[in-house]
Amino acid sequence: MSTSGFKTLDDAQLSGKRALVRVDFNVPMADGRVSDDTRLRAALPTIEKLRAGGAKVILLAHFDRPKGKRVPEMSLKPIIEPLSKLVGSDVRFADDCSGEAAKAAIEAMKPGDVILLENVRYEAGEEKNEEAFARALAVNGDLYVNDAFSAAHRAHASTEGLARILPAHAGEQMRRELQALDAALGNPKRPVLGIVGGSKVSTKLDLLNNLVGKLDRLAIGGGMANTFLAAQGVDVGASLCEHDLADTARQIMATANEKGCELLLPIDVVTAEKVEPGTSSAVRDLGAIGPADRILDAGPKTLARLIEAMDASATLVWNGPLGVFEVPPFDKATVSAAKHAANLAKSGRLVAVAGGGDTVAALNAAGVVDDFTFVSTAGGAFLEWMEGKELPGVAALAR
């Protein structure tokens, strides 16, 4: 999935063109106002490049799940004010994404102007990827730009259908994301270390099965590590554990062994009887976990071995925390490992790529998001890419 397979904005003639740009503005809102503008800022490099090239910038986006109906509280209108501030000039708004209202608003634009069209999910044809709706969008554009990797796992009219109709290009954020992902798993510098955490093995079976065939080492943490420990006969006490997946865990271990991927499971753990801030906790070796103990973090020996593995690696790909990082002191292993990876990445000794909602929150808690080589905010799309699945929005660009 390198960027050699599709066109970027560097390949486009922009002057005087109408650029239909799919962005992800599905941002957190509080009291009708944008509470986190990360996704708006992510779109700025593409918007700036198009404006500098003399294109009309026509932004397509969704917000929430109106299911093909006009739901007033799911309008994109509240985005206009913060986006205008970020862009540095007035962003226009059209209260429809297709039809006469959109057409008239776009015709009134001058090169370099920016307009945001109303929520594409107000139209039932969007999520059904109806060709008629994709064509209704396409009549207002000369070229299509997809800058929404986070929506690329959906085959919708604005993420996949449009790329079949108009000349299609990857936006700047999409290009950065795909280059980072290619460096992490496509054509990585070896050795490659993976960290996969989170609460349940059942939600990450496809991920684990794909990664053991691609990585040199895989560290498993969080609640899912308990299932692997229990499958090896370790008594995990009152810990979160999917005992019914013991055979599956053993199969993954066998596959890893076959494919030459070393699995790093916890060798000591931090336990407590309750998941509460400041509750009394203890470090335990694997044979000393009591019946009321709950494993809530990786222990110091496990952390030291993970740091050694990072030092010996050229590439790190990370999805999921090592413990219940939201509740101190059970954030220690996640935060310490994140800080170490960030220092290695900052000094150029490690390509460190991370993604997934909990992972981004954990790296934010550690204050190291900006020091990683790349942190994907794409959520579901990042996970499906790590699982080795084809993403329709990316595949459409490569046609």
Side-chain angles (χ1 to χ4, degrees):
M1 200 193 277
S2 74
T3 51
S4 57
F6 45 82
K7 291 178 173 164
T8 67
L9 293 180
D10 294 335
D11 305 307
Q13 163 53 44
L14 300 176
S15 183
K17 300 287 192 215
R18 298 167 301 164
L20 284 174
V21 189
R22 181 55 158 99
V23 289
D24 183 358
F25 285 171
N26 195 25
V27 294
M29 294 268 197
D31 303 320
R33 298 179 75 82
V34 175
S35 56
D36 180 344
D37 67 358
T38 305
R39 285 183 164 171
L40 305 187
R41 284 185 282 110
L44 291 178
T46 294
I47 292 170
E48 290 311 319
K49 193 155 189 164
L50 289 165
R51 292 183 78 204
K56 292 181 177 182
V57 186
I58 303 151
L59 303 174
L60 299 169
H62 75 276
F63 181 72
D64 214 332
R65 297 175 185 271
K67 297 287 178 196
K69 297 186 171 63
R70 290 186 78 92
V71 181
E73 51 273 26
M74 294 180 193
S75 171
L76 287 169
K77 200 162 190 182
I79 285 168
I80 292 296
E81 188 190 344
L83 184 61
S84 295
K85 280 184 185 153
L86 289 169
V87 170
S89 66
D90 286 344
V91 173
R92 301 167 183 222
F93 183 71
D95 66 5
D96 211 338
C97 58
S98 61
E100 287 306 313
K103 185 182 172 205
I106 291 162
E107 282 176 353
M109 293 172 74
K110 296 193 289 294
D113 284 353
V114 183
I115 191 169
L116 174 62
L117 306 185
E118 185 56 283
N119 194 340
V120 289
R121 287 191 182 170
Y122 277 5
E123 301 292 334
E126 163 65 4
E127 292 190 76
K128 291 177 186 165
N129 198 7
E130 283 176 2
E131 187 183 348
F133 177 58
R135 291 201 175 276
L137 293 173
V139 295
N140 290 317
D142 302 304
L143 66 140
Y144 169 68
V145 181
N146 193 342
D147 209 27
F149 178 79
S150 44
H153 58 314
R154 308 276 184 228
H156 292 170
S158 68
T159 60
E160 200 266 355
L162 268 173
R164 298 166 178 269
I165 301 166
L166 294 174
H169 303 261
E172 295 297 280
Q173 179 67 10
M174 175 76 88
R175 181 175 61 78
R176 278 187 65 232
E177 189 107 30
L178 294 175
Q179 282 173 339
L181 300 186
D182 192 51
L185 278 190
N187 294 286
K189 288 183 185 152
R190 293 198 172 271
V192 188
L193 167 68
I195 298 174
V196 174
S199 53
K200 292 182 172 179
V201 174
S202 53
T203 61
K204 295 194 176 176
L205 284 175
D206 289 346
L207 175 65
L208 293 168
N209 281 316
N210 186 46
L211 289 183
V212 293
K214 296 197 166 198
L215 303 173
D216 299 296
R217 279 173 157 175
L218 173 58
I220 296 178
M224 63 196 309
N226 303 338
T227 302
F228 282 85
L229 294 174
Q232 292 180 309
V234 174
D235 185 344
V236 296
S239 306
L240 175 70
C241 179
E242 293 174 290
H243 291 284
D244 57 325
L245 287 180
D247 286 343
T248 305
R250 284 190 284 268
Q251 182 57 55
I252 291 168
M253 288 188 264
T255 305
N257 190 39
E258 253 168 59
K259 300 206 167 170
C261 174
E262 183 189 357
L263 279 192
L264 303 177
L265 292 169
I267 45 180
D268 63 340
V269 293
V270 176
T271 67
E273 293 188 8
K274 294 190 191 112
V275 190
E276 288 173 3
T279 192
S280 68
S281 59
V283 174
R284 306 229 187 259
D285 286 327
L286 295 184
I289 297 163
D293 284 338
R294 298 170 73 172
I295 299 170
L296 300 174
D297 200 9
K301 286 190 273 198
T302 302
L303 175 63
R305 188 188 55 178
L306 179 58
I307 282 171
E308 271 177 31
M310 283 184 198
D311 289 340
S313 299
T315 302
L316 168 69
V317 57
W318 187 338
N319 175 258
L322 300 172
V324 186
F325 77 95
E326 306 93 334
V327 185
F330 311 116
D331 58 346
K332 186 164 186 215
T334 302
V335 168
S336 301
K339 286 185 169 169
H340 191 77
N343 285 332
L344 290 173
K346 210 159 54 168
S347 66
R349 288 182 292 162
L350 184 71
V351 172
V353 174
D358 283 352
T359 318
V360 177
L363 298 185
N364 269 320
V368 297
V369 165
D370 294 338
D371 295 330
F372 266 57
T373 312
F374 189 80
V375 175
S376 171
T377 56
F382 180 82
L383 201 58
E384 288 197 18
W385 166 80
M386 278 184 78
E387 290 167 355
K389 294 175 180 168
E390 181 177 271
L391 306 182
V394 174
L397 290 177
R399 285 200 186 100

